[in-house]
Amino acid sequence: MTGSLIPTLEGRYYTDPAIFAREQANIFEEMWFCAVRSGDLPNPGDFRTVQVGRESVLIARDRKGGLNAFLNVCRHRGARICVDEAGSVKRAFQCPYHAWTYALDGNLIAAPNLTSMPDVDRVAYGLTKVHLREWLGYVWVNLAENPPSFEDDVLSAVTERLGSLDGIDGYEIDRLSVGRRIVYDVKANWKLIIENFMECYHCATIHPELTEVLPEFAGGYAAQYYVGHGAEFGDEIKGFTVDGGEGFEKLSALEEERDRKYYAITIRPQVFINLVPDHVILHRMYPLAADRTVVECDWLYAKEVVDTGRDVSRSVELFHRVNEQDFEACERCQPAMASRAYAHGGVLVPSEHHIGGFHDWLVRKLESAD
């Protein structure tokens, strides 16, 4: 192999259920996982369930206004507490099997004949808690008994990409509102989606709208190939919209040096953050099988933009098209991962060499648990 080309992962990494099971256990159940938008649970009793690795996780707001996360499993006989993806309860969660009942903070508060069992510790037999942290207006959970440092696991990705953690502060993402959410069910392995997001070698081929707005992408190098670099808007481009027309006012706290630029950040293992002057696009991946990944994408705008009902469709449409183009490409690759032609993998050209770092990281994660 020449110096210009370096190898990818072998095809089996994208198809083998055993490898996917190891990824669930060693990556998604060990690392910090971005689960829900905090604002989606505004009131006490509001809840959402999400799949994290092999576990269903229940996230709920308690009576004091705090958020808690639990494994969605009754401590009696293991029935799933909540089967709905989202909803609200008045005061407690009740198992539909034997009516064990849990407060919003997870403590066991009632069960048939519980008063005749005074030796039962209601805290010890409460729902199994999951570590939780809020950042950027999202709930991040960690299933590990001893979670890794949030700073090392999550915040470091921002520093590595932007050069400092301060680089993301001006977007005030935790204060933005969801203007649109689109959920994509992608028939492809989660790693194909990450690899696609990390490079722009494909941009001139499948992203005509994006390269019109960000002309440098037609050259094949993604913005995140470089530390601190933001891709500049084209000279005639007025906003990050599908036709390059006017967007909204620059976010109020954003530094002038970041105006008319696009930044992308990959936070392993399942978050993409896209930063533009007037809004933020955040992707969360939920890997469900070796060949299936659900992607939830939020378009976040200044609160006044959403509250006043301003039309966000032109800015949404730009990245919605990018998403559809990317996911179609990933779905085109997925069947070929099982081909004998890809048994030993493919190659990365120089503008994709940084993907090799992602591959090395993945292999280390899997081997460290062996």
Side-chain angles (χ1 to χ4, degrees):
M1 191 167 292
T2 70
S4 295
L5 303 177
I6 63 174
T8 68
L9 295 170
E10 297 173 355
R12 64 190 176 91
Y13 279 88
Y14 305 87
T15 61
D16 188 342
I19 291 178
F20 181 69
R22 290 168 64 196
E23 292 170 345
Q24 287 180 302
N26 303 333
I27 295 176
F28 300 111
E29 295 173 19
E30 291 290 327
M31 298 185 68
W32 287 95
F33 189 101
C34 187
V36 301
R37 183 79 178 166
S38 303
D40 291 343
L41 307 174
N43 304 308
D46 290 348
F47 71 87
R48 183 165 173 186
T49 59
V50 296
Q51 191 70 25
V52 180
R54 298 162 297 180
E55 298 281 2
S56 174
V57 176
L58 170 62
I59 301 165
R61 194 171 293 280
D62 63 29
R63 306 302 298 180
K64 296 180 180 179
L67 287 165
N68 299 284
F70 316 97
L71 298 184
N72 188 16
V73 177
C74 181
R75 296 296 306 281
H76 172 223
R77 296 272 298 283
R80 184 158 290 188
I81 299 292
C82 294
V83 295
D84 295 329
E85 288 187 4
S88 187
V89 296
K90 288 186 177 180
R91 293 188 177 277
F93 295 103
Q94 186 174 83
C95 176
Y97 192 7
H98 294 94
W100 277 39
T101 304
Y102 302 90
L104 299 177
D105 62 5
N107 288 341
L108 177 66
I109 55 174
N113 306 319
L114 184 59
T115 55
S116 65
M117 297 178 280
D119 58 323
V120 175
D121 186 327
R122 299 187 182 210
V123 175
Y125 282 91
L127 296 176
T128 302
K129 289 198 172 185
V130 168
H131 300 281
L132 180 151
R133 178 154 175 177
E134 291 184 77
W135 183 59
L136 302 181
Y138 285 85
V139 175
W140 302 69
V141 297
N142 187 281
L143 275 59
E145 183 176 349
N146 297 304
S149 160
F150 192 83
E151 288 70 23
D152 293 344
D153 216 26
V154 176
L155 303 187
S156 63
V158 177
T159 302
E160 290 171 7
R161 171 63 186 93
L162 300 182
S164 73
L165 193 57
D166 296 340
I168 203 169
D169 291 344
Y171 297 89
E172 297 186 316
I173 298 175
D174 58 334
R175 299 180 61 182
L176 303 182
S177 297
V178 179
R180 187 73 56 83
R181 173 174 293 159
I182 300 178
V183 179
Y184 306 85
D185 198 332
V186 187
K187 298 178 180 63
N189 186 273
W190 66 280
K191 297 186 293 296
L192 289 175
I193 299 173
I194 284 190
E195 293 162 6
N196 172 278
F197 185 74
M198 290 181 68
E199 55 92 359
C200 217
Y201 191 48
H202 67 279
C203 287
T205 306
I206 70 172
H207 294 321
E209 299 89 355
L210 184 63
T211 53
E212 184 72 21
V213 173
L214 304 172
E216 72 177 71
F217 276 9
Y221 282 85
Q224 60 182 317
Y225 184 88
Y226 312 94
V227 175
H229 178 68
E232 295 192 13
F233 291 7
D235 292 340
E236 304 302 318
I237 298 301
K238 297 180 179 179
F240 198 75
T241 60
V242 70
D243 58 5
E246 291 282 357
F248 302 110
E249 297 82 7
K250 178 170 66 72
L251 295 171
S252 60
L254 192 66
E255 305 93 329
E256 195 64 36
E257 65 188 52
R258 297 191 184 277
D259 196 12
R260 294 184 54 78
K261 292 181 181 178
Y262 163 86
Y263 297 85
I265 306 168
T266 300
I267 300 180
R268 296 186 297 235
Q270 45 86 242
V271 174
F272 306 144
I273 302 176
N274 308 272
L275 306 168
V276 294
D278 62 340
H279 65 283
V280 171
I281 307 156
L282 193 143
H283 298 68
R284 284 166 286 148
M285 293 195 302
Y286 301 89
L288 300 181
D291 58 356
R292 182 186 175 207
T293 308
V294 168
V295 182
E296 192 165 292
C297 186
D298 289 344
W299 280 260
L300 306 168
Y301 299 86
K303 188 175 186 295
E304 56 269 23
V305 170
V306 176
D307 288 351
T308 57
R310 297 177 68 179
D311 183 9
V312 301
S313 60
R314 288 166 53 252
S315 56
V316 169
E317 182 61 24
L318 173 57
F319 226 87
H320 174 53
R321 290 191 190 183
V322 171
N323 284 339
E324 290 191 316
Q325 292 156 353
D326 281 339
F327 298 154
E328 180 183 356
C330 293
E331 291 182 337
R332 189 179 302 121
C333 290
Q334 183 62 39
M337 296 297 100
S339 169
R340 71 184 72 180
Y342 210 79
H344 299 293
V347 295
L348 300 170
V349 302
S351 63
E352 303 170 306
H353 280 190
H354 58 299
I355 296 175
F358 167 62
H359 292 164
D360 293 341
W361 167 85
L362 179 95
V363 172
R364 287 196 303 271
K365 282 288 187 182
L366 298 183
E367 289 180 348
S368 66
D370 289 344

